[in-house]
Amino acid sequence: ARGAYAMYFNGTAWVPAPLSTPTVVFFTTLISANGKVYMGIMDRSTGGNKPSLLVRDGNAWKYVGASSFSANGQVAFMGVSPAVALDETAYMLYQEAPSSGRVNHVMQYKNGVWAEIGTPTIVGSEKDNCVIAVHPNGRLFFAYSDGSALFVKVFNTNTNNWYPAVKFGDTKPNEFDLKISPQGIPYLAVSFSSSDKTTVYKYDIP
């Protein structure tokens, strides 16, 4: 574990932008949304891995809701994938390792509370190979691997659960990433273990 430390570039030099209190973390991800910078961390300040989300507010970092949250109180693995919608609804994807296998959980921050949305996704022994992204219209996309192939789900707000997953190929992905353009076009870049090439998919939303 290491401490979270941030800096920003003021146009001529890198300037420290530390957290108000030292925070021990396993993993950190920075994203930009709605003109703000968010920091997703796998927080170890309570002694066990649990995700936290911070936002840069003026000259300080502030937690978005409670820190060290979880779906069910269990200790998490290492990675985090945050996303923030245009209406500032925040999401956090992270993974837990129960007695057998690994499970991906997606949390939503709304009305001052972090709560899990959708059914957790069981991914076998695959470690932290997952990412989320939010569309400008608020639709949430979730890409993950279960060790055999790459899958993408979209959240259905009518049922408060995920649509059936769309499968990409029959080969384990080495690395992948999911991004959505400001125009609302999802892109999925993936490197499959069966090839030394990177493939980019574009999703045409009806």
Side-chain angles (χ1 to χ4, degrees), residues 4-25:
Y5 190 84
M7 302 183 74
Y8 70 92
F9 189 69
N10 66 4
T12 57
W14 286 98
V15 180
L19 279 66
S20 57
T21 56
T23 302
V24 180
V25 302

Side-chain angles (χ1 to χ4, degrees), residues 185-196:
I185 302 174
Y187 293 90
L188 183 67
V190 54
S191 171
F192 289 106
S193 60
S194 60
S195 170
D196 59 356

Side-chain angles (χ1 to χ4, degrees), residues 113-191:
V113 178
W114 282 103
E116 184 168 24
I117 58 172
T119 302
T121 303
I122 299 172
V123 293
S125 60
E126 194 71 4
K127 299 177 181 178
D128 283 339
N129 216 356
C130 50
V131 63
I132 55 172
V134 63
H135 191 278
N137 66 11
R139 185 183 295 185
L140 188 64
F141 288 72
F142 167 28
Y144 65 95
S145 170
D146 65 355
S148 66
L150 176 62
F151 300 87
V152 176
K153 292 181 179 180
V154 179
F155 193 71
N156 184 340
T157 56
N158 293 323
T159 63
N160 288 318
N161 211 338
W162 301 100
Y163 284 108
V166 176
K167 184 179 180 182
F168 289 80
D170 295 306
T171 305
K172 176 182 177 178
N174 290 322
E175 302 287 343
F176 60 89
D177 199 8
L178 173 67
K179 299 293 184 184
I180 300 178
S181 73
Q183 295 74 31
I185 302 174
Y187 293 90
L188 183 67
V190 54
S191 171

Side-chain angles (χ1 to χ4, degrees), residues 18-181:
L19 279 66
S20 57
T21 56
T23 302
V24 180
V25 302
F26 246 123
F27 190 88
T28 304
T29 299
L30 288 171
I31 63 169
S32 176
N34 307 324
K36 299 179 181 179
V37 177
Y38 291 83
M39 182 191 298
I41 63 175
M42 184 54 74
D43 198 332
R44 288 186 56 83
S45 60
T46 60
N49 289 6
K50 291 184 180 179
S52 295
L53 182 65
L54 300 98
V55 61
R56 188 70 176 172
D57 185 4
N59 293 321
W61 290 100
K62 294 184 178 181
Y63 283 99
V64 178
S67 61
S68 298
F69 55 84
S70 70
N72 50 34
Q74 292 192 23
V75 174
F77 194 52
M78 291 189 292
V80 293
S81 176
V84 180
L86 290 177
D87 66 358
E88 298 196 347
T89 299
Y91 300 91
M92 181 74 84
L93 166 63
Y94 77 102
Q95 187 179 87
E96 291 181 355
S99 57
S100 62
R102 298 182 183 274
V103 182
N104 293 336
H105 297 273
V106 178
M107 306 288 288
Q108 179 190 64
Y109 180 74
K110 194 172 184 179
N111 300 323
V113 178
W114 282 103
E116 184 168 24
I117 58 172
T119 302
T121 303
I122 299 172
V123 293
S125 60
E126 194 71 4
K127 299 177 181 178
D128 283 339
N129 216 356
C130 50
V131 63
I132 55 172
V134 63
H135 191 278
N137 66 11
R139 185 183 295 185
L140 188 64
F141 288 72
F142 167 28
Y144 65 95
S145 170
D146 65 355
S148 66
L150 176 62
F151 300 87
V152 176
K153 292 181 179 180
V154 179
F155 193 71
N156 184 340
T157 56
N158 293 323
T159 63
N160 288 318
N161 211 338
W162 301 100
Y163 284 108
V166 176
K167 184 179 180 182
F168 289 80
D170 295 306
T171 305
K172 176 182 177 178
N174 290 322
E175 302 287 343
F176 60 89
D177 199 8
L178 173 67
K179 299 293 184 184
I180 300 178
S181 73

